[in-house]
Amino acid sequence: VAQVLETEGGEHLGDVGGTDLATDLSFFADAGIEFTPAQRVALTANGNLQRVLSAYHNRRVTVEVLRHERVSIGLWRRRVRIAVDGTPACFASSVVVAQTRTAIDQMDKKGGLGQLFSALGGKQDFSLLEVAKDDATFSRVYTLANAHLVCHIEEVMPLNLFEDDFFTASSRWHPEVFESGGVDLLDAAEGGAW
């Protein structure tokens, strides 16, 4: 049974590269969804999940672009896999809208979104729209935006991501479903995988 919390208007959080730091995350408590402290850190990471995972596990974290589809001028649909030492840790689907010619040129390079925001410079706004948890995964929906880009991102991670057995246990989540394109969070409303 999945538990979902949608935040009204999104929670605005900041970090070194962000603005509008709001420290009231009481919506986690209000939701009645139990998250571990490490899961809450991952859920509120604002474009720096790769760094959070690397610091926690003290291992190499890679981002593999599984799909980078230019839908039209200035509009992309993406799917990436984030892995810790080769073990799938997160799948993300996103819609990216470029608002400047510079952003369009950078998006054509097909890199990670965190690296893209760094390359474009400027601060980014982070807005956490939804968090959820079921018997195998926890997930979030959020936006990242600056003067160059607006990104709507949905991420799903295994429940044992921050447990000692993450690299050795048989997880109840099935990353191959996300990897193969059998499930695409962004296509759910359109009724088909891409």
Side-chain angles (χ1 to χ4, degrees), residues 133-170:
K133 184 177 180 181
D134 64 25
D135 62 345
T137 63
F138 66 104
S139 60
R140 66 181 180 158
V141 178
Y142 64 101
T143 60
L144 283 177
N146 69 8
H148 298 280
L149 293 172
V150 176
C151 305
H152 181 274
I153 304 162
E154 301 186 31
E155 294 175 341
V156 64
M157 296 162 266
L159 279 182
N160 72 337
L161 179 59
F162 297 105
E163 295 175 13
D164 292 339
D165 67 352
F166 172 66
F167 297 101
T168 58
S170 172

Side-chain angles (χ1 to χ4, degrees), residues 1-139:
V1 170
Q3 295 176 301
V4 177
L5 169 65
E6 293 181 21
T7 63
E8 193 170 312
E11 286 295 316
H12 299 282
L13 305 172
D15 193 39
V16 176
T19 60
D20 301 323
L21 177 62
T23 56
D24 180 13
L25 295 179
S26 60
F27 69 91
F28 279 117
D30 295 342
I33 303 173
E34 294 290 326
F35 292 103
T36 68
Q39 288 170 342
R40 288 191 302 272
V41 169
L43 290 168
T44 58
N46 63 349
N48 60 357
L49 182 61
Q50 186 177 356
R51 182 176 57 195
V52 167
L53 294 174
S54 179
Y56 183 87
H57 288 290
N58 196 28
R59 296 183 186 211
R60 182 175 176 186
V61 175
T62 56
V63 177
E64 181 182 355
V65 178
L66 301 173
R67 178 157 324 261
H68 182 92
E69 176 185 10
R70 186 175 182 170
V71 177
S72 66
I73 188 74
L75 179 64
W76 287 263
R77 293 167 56 123
R78 296 169 45 94
R79 183 184 298 115
V80 301
R81 174 183 46 228
I82 300 174
V84 180
D85 237 8
T87 301
C90 176
F91 284 87
S93 295
S94 59
V95 173
V96 180
V97 178
Q99 301 186 110
T100 64
R101 183 74 228 167
T102 303
I104 290 171
D105 293 342
Q106 288 294 317
M107 279 299 296
D108 285 338
K109 296 179 181 178
K110 301 181 182 182
L113 292 180
Q115 291 80 1
L116 180 62
F117 274 102
S118 293
L120 292 170
K123 294 184 178 182
Q124 63 208 35
D125 291 322
F126 169 82
S127 193
L128 182 61
L129 304 176
E130 178 181 284
V131 295
K133 184 177 180 181
D134 64 25
D135 62 345
T137 63
F138 66 104
S139 60

